[in-house]
Amino acid sequence: MILTGGLKSLLPHVLRRIIRCNRLSISNTSGMAEGYKQANIVILHKSLADDFEKFCHANDGPLPLLYRSKPGDWKCPSLSSDSDIRTDCLQYRIYEHGACTGLLKSLKEYSEQLKDMVTFYLGCSFSFEKAVQNSGIPIRNVEQKCNVSMYKTAVPCSSVSTFCCNLVVTMRPIPESKLEAAVLATSALKEAHGAPIHMGDPGLLGIQDLSKPDYGDPVHLHPGDIPVFWACGVTGVEAVINCRAPLAFTHSPGCMFITDLKNDNVTVRSSRDIPQVHCISQDPLHYSIVSAEAAQKIKTLETLIGTDPGERGITHLCRQDELLKACLSLSHARSVLVTTGFPTHFAHEPPEETDGPPGALAIAAMLQALEKEVAIVTDQRAMNLNKKIIEEAVQLGILKRPVPLLSYQRESADSALMFLCENGNPERPRFDHLIAIERAGMAADGNYYNARKVNIKHLVDPIDDLFLAAQTIPGVATTGVGDGGNELGMGKVKNAVKKHIKNGDVIACDVEADFTVVAGVSNWGGYAIACALYILSTCEMHDRYLRKAVGFPRLSKKMVWLSALPSVTKEEKLLKTLVRHGVRSGKTASLEMEVDGLPFYNTHSLMIEKLL
């Protein structure tokens, strides 16, 4: 029988009665009893029940617990008035020692065993389909008259005792223009899995082929559709398989228990509840989620650092939301490579300036606090200087531990690939994000210029190669932070540099980054990145998306992140350290407490306070 409009509008108790009498020849309950909650079912021996309940609470994205029965209780009074869990699902599966040994229309023959068993009713994404449709978004599997696609992922759930498994997800194709609406329609429906846990390339979840779902049916994408993935209650089935219980029952995926509970009418309360969706990568395709409240805070940071104290014309280089997108990408990164160093003072030793290293260390400190791998790559001739600066930054409490320090030399055509990837294999990158902050960038003629148009190529190692190679490696993103247009990564705004910046036609960096963060002083860009990463980490909506709705919120680590933020005291001590090592102010070459000719006190210190 084809799913008809009649089944959509039937009341739940009527549908359960029809299912109980075995009068339906349909394969799933998607689209039935629109607007009412449906439930995944897991039935386990009472000795396993407490641990399974803990497992549900530890992974409440895929396993939102609607009701737990007492042993031998076949009813669920808080969900339905007249139900019998032995008969009221379209189809059941029986599992013995982790193996599925049969499909059943009824569990009545197991009534004796069920007296010692507990039933768990878990939320289902079929419950949110009506809310999605009400937002003007098509449900492709309903259109195509088939079950939803379900896939095993490579994402591990948080384990409890014998219950451990990877997350299972459903996939629904959503038109790109409707992504934000789909997130908004589902994010508050926690008992129906809430907001999506991934949007974009299925490979990022470890799913190899969308046409071969592990459960359910393949659902075809229309042109312009993006695969969107929600946590799925079939995760509970995988947990049952892995715990190898002597006897367990579940619903057959797609054959849900239909409750009498209507979906909540959710009203959005504040900007904390309103999602924004941003594309952070085209290859592989990847979107991220952030609350409107957090996004606005980061836009405010971007505005603050975009002031032009040196009156160089940098406001013409600013691009909206680059800080937000760069930091969303960094938030998803596992391992980050940072580079800095602009040897503008070619007549001095060392030739470095005080803009760059403080911003780089501010970023590194926050990445360490967020438990990401971070390394710094710099010029071979500056290794000893940077080693001393890093050691003292640890002693000053700016860094929790030393940051590995690397150098890069071009020895062959594939040197950059060998540096960035294990054995030069683009499928195995060592880093998934590269950041350049106040790093000398290669101009169109292959040289490196300071702001006064002096060629300093003899002092600069070709670290630009790494950013050029990253453009060819899927999944490796790049960010450039600069304040004059001659810094690595500023190639993205080179036309504006040539037009608006003094000597721009010669000095403009030709090498692009995916994201370009423009600041009045590059250090400010580094401080803003650290602050923005903190904002994202404390955004509940983004945190849930990052951890794929498994495990517990990471907000317990908030104090660790807070302590990693830059401060006036930290930056004052670091600048004194740089000056002591002979590192000079960019514009004036003076060995004073200044950066780019601007005094630390009442200029840089004020900016740090504003950003915090």
Side-chain angles (χ1 to χ4, degrees):
M1 180 192 292
I2 293 171
L3 184 62
T4 65
L7 292 177
K8 286 184 183 184
S9 56
L10 282 180
L11 290 172
H13 74 275
V14 178
L15 272 168
R16 286 197 303 272
R17 199 177 307 140
I18 296 170
I19 290 168
R20 199 176 300 154
C21 298
N22 201 13
R23 288 182 187 161
L24 286 177
S25 57
I26 57 171
S27 62
N28 65 84
T29 56
S30 176
M32 294 172 78
E34 282 185 340
Y36 287 88
K37 291 178 181 173
Q38 299 194 27
N40 298 270
I41 300 299
V42 171
I43 306 175
L44 295 163
H45 190 267
K46 60 187 179 184
S47 62
L48 297 169
D50 286 350
D51 282 340
F52 187 73
E53 181 172 348
K54 289 174 189 170
F55 182 69
C56 293
H57 291 314
N59 301 281
D60 65 356
L63 303 170
L65 184 56
L66 303 181
Y67 184 76
R68 170 186 167 170
S69 79
K70 293 184 170 65
D73 188 356
W74 302 324
K75 300 188 183 305
C76 49
S78 66
L79 302 183
S80 61
S81 56
D82 64 340
S83 61
D84 184 335
I85 197 55
R86 299 173 302 170
T87 56
D88 289 2
C89 290
L90 273 175
Q91 192 179 66
Y92 302 86
R93 290 187 172 193
I94 177 171
Y95 288 91
E96 297 175 272
H97 302 285
C100 180
T101 55
L103 303 176
L104 307 165
K105 286 286 186 184
S106 166
L107 300 181
K108 278 195 165 180
E109 63 185 286
Y110 292 93
S111 294
E112 196 58 37
Q113 293 93 324
L114 287 168
K115 287 177 182 176
D116 287 324
M117 301 183 85
V118 172
T119 302
F120 290 86
Y121 300 76
L122 305 162
C124 168
S125 63
F126 288 173
S127 306
F128 68 51
E129 289 178 339
K130 184 64 176 171
V132 171
Q133 287 172 320
N134 286 345
S135 298
I137 303 165
I139 302 288
R140 298 291 187 215
N141 67 289
V142 174
E143 287 180 349
Q144 295 167 28
K145 299 180 173 60
C146 62
N147 199 351
V148 72
S149 305
M150 291 162 265
Y151 304 88
K152 300 176 189 177
T153 72
V155 178
C157 290
S158 182
S159 299
V160 174
S161 187
T162 57
F163 293 104
C164 62
C165 66
N166 284 359
L167 175 69
V168 176
V169 293
T170 57
M171 187 282 291
R172 289 170 175 82
I174 304 289
E176 186 179 24
S177 62
K178 302 282 189 182
L179 290 178
E180 226 160 67
V183 178
L184 183 60
T186 57
S187 59
L189 300 174
K190 307 290 189 205
E191 292 188 340
H193 305 302
I197 57 93
H198 179 64
M199 293 178 283
D201 192 315
L204 294 171
L205 292 177
I207 299 167
Q208 301 307 317
D209 189 348
L210 282 183
S211 70
K212 296 175 181 174
D214 296 292
Y215 300 99
D217 300 318
V219 178
H220 304 293
L221 280 75
H222 289 206
D225 281 353
I226 305 297
V228 178
F229 300 86
W230 278 267
C232 175
V234 176
T235 303
V237 175
E238 288 294 306
V240 165
I241 291 169
N242 287 349
C243 87
R244 300 182 182 277
L247 180 67
F249 304 96
T250 71
H251 69 293
S252 272
C255 301
M256 303 300 168
F257 173 82
I258 300 170
T259 78
D260 292 340
L261 299 185
K262 282 202 161 186
N263 280 315
D264 309 316
N265 287 320
V266 178
T267 53
V268 174
R269 293 177 297 281
S270 71
S271 59
R272 193 176 299 166
D273 304 317
I274 299 172
Q276 287 187 7
V277 173
H278 294 273
C279 183
I280 57 171
S281 169
Q282 287 292 339
D283 185 17
L285 187 63
H286 193 192
Y287 296 81
S288 190
I289 296 175
V290 63
S291 73
E293 179 186 59
Q296 185 53 53
K297 287 179 182 177
I298 294 172
K299 287 171 196 269
T300 302
L301 297 179
E302 189 172 60
T303 303
L304 280 171
I305 63 171
T307 54
D308 189 3
E311 297 181 346
R312 286 185 278 187
I314 64 113
T315 52
H316 298 287
L317 314 185
C318 295
R319 297 290 179 271
Q320 197 175 359
D321 290 341
E322 291 285 291
L323 177 64
L324 174 59
K325 290 177 183 177
C327 291
L328 283 170
S329 177
L330 277 167
S331 186
H332 285 270
R334 167 191 49 83
S335 178
V336 181
L337 181 68
V338 182
T339 184
T340 190
F342 207 121
T344 190
H345 303 304
F346 54 90
H348 294 279
E349 180 55 42
E352 266 65 32
E353 60 165 305
T354 50
D355 193 15
L361 293 185
I363 295 169
M366 184 53 71
L367 292 172
Q368 283 185 341
L370 293 171
E371 299 175 18
K372 298 181 187 295
E373 294 174 27
V374 57
I376 291 176
V377 60
T378 191
D379 302 297
Q380 182 64 46
R381 58 159 188 81
M383 287 288 277
N384 286 337
L385 172 65
N386 279 281
K387 186 169 181 285
K388 289 173 188 170
I389 292 168
I390 288 170
E391 285 171 356
E392 293 196 36
V394 175
Q395 290 166 15
L396 293 169
I398 293 164
L399 294 171
K400 293 290 181 213
R401 57 190 177 279
V403 179
L405 195 58
L406 311 171
S407 67
Y408 167 78
Q409 300 296 321
R410 183 193 299 140
E411 294 167 353
S412 65
D414 62 352
S415 289
L417 211 55
M418 293 297 292
F419 184 95
L420 291 175
C421 305
E422 291 180 30
N423 301 318
N425 180 359
E427 293 181 4
R428 300 189 67 186
R430 290 191 178 94
F431 310 99
D432 32 29
H433 203 116
L434 278 55
I435 306 175
I437 175 167
E438 192 64 19
R439 169 74 196 173
M442 186 172 64
D445 63 3
N447 291 319
Y448 297 79
Y449 296 96
N450 68 12
R452 291 176 289 282
K453 215 161 57 171
V454 177
N455 186 2
I456 52 172
K457 184 176 182 177
H458 61 291
L459 296 171
V460 182
D461 289 346
I463 288 169
D464 304 65
D465 288 1
L466 304 180
F467 279 66
L468 292 167
Q471 294 171 7
T472 69
I473 306 169
V476 179
T478 55
T479 294
V481 183
D483 58 17
N486 54 347
E487 301 90 0
L488 177 52
M490 292 288 122
K492 188 174 181 179
V493 292
K494 63 186 176 187
N495 291 334
V497 174
K498 290 172 184 177
K499 186 175 179 181
H500 297 287
I501 302 295
K502 185 181 177 182
N503 300 323
D505 55 330
V506 174
I507 71 172
C509 176
D510 202 50
V511 180
E512 291 190 21
D514 296 314
F515 310 105
T516 301
V517 177
V518 178
V521 177
S522 292
N523 281 345
W524 299 355
Y527 304 151
I529 286 173
C531 293
L533 287 171
Y534 173 80
I535 290 166
L536 288 176
S537 299
T538 53
C539 169
E540 290 180 28
M541 193 175 281
H542 182 68
D543 170 68
R544 182 185 186 276
Y545 189 74
L546 266 189
R547 59 186 171 83
K548 308 288 185 279
V550 296
F552 293 103
R554 300 180 308 155
L555 292 174
S556 58
K557 297 175 182 173
K558 185 174 178 178
M559 295 312 295
V560 175
W561 305 332
L562 202 57
S563 67
L565 284 168
S567 70
V568 172
T569 305
K570 285 183 194 174
E571 297 310 310
E572 180 184 27
K573 289 176 181 175
L574 182 57
L575 186 53
K576 284 179 178 175
T577 298
L578 292 174
V579 172
R580 196 172 67 251
H581 285 295
V583 181
R584 298 167 184 270
S585 174
K587 206 170 184 180
T588 61
S590 68
L591 282 169
E592 302 292 336
M593 287 292 286
E594 63 175 55
V595 179
D596 277 355
L598 301 165
F600 178 79
Y601 305 105
N602 297 327
T603 301
H604 300 290
S605 60
L606 281 181
M607 178 56 71
I608 294 164
E609 287 172 355
K610 284 179 186 175
L611 291 171
L612 294 172

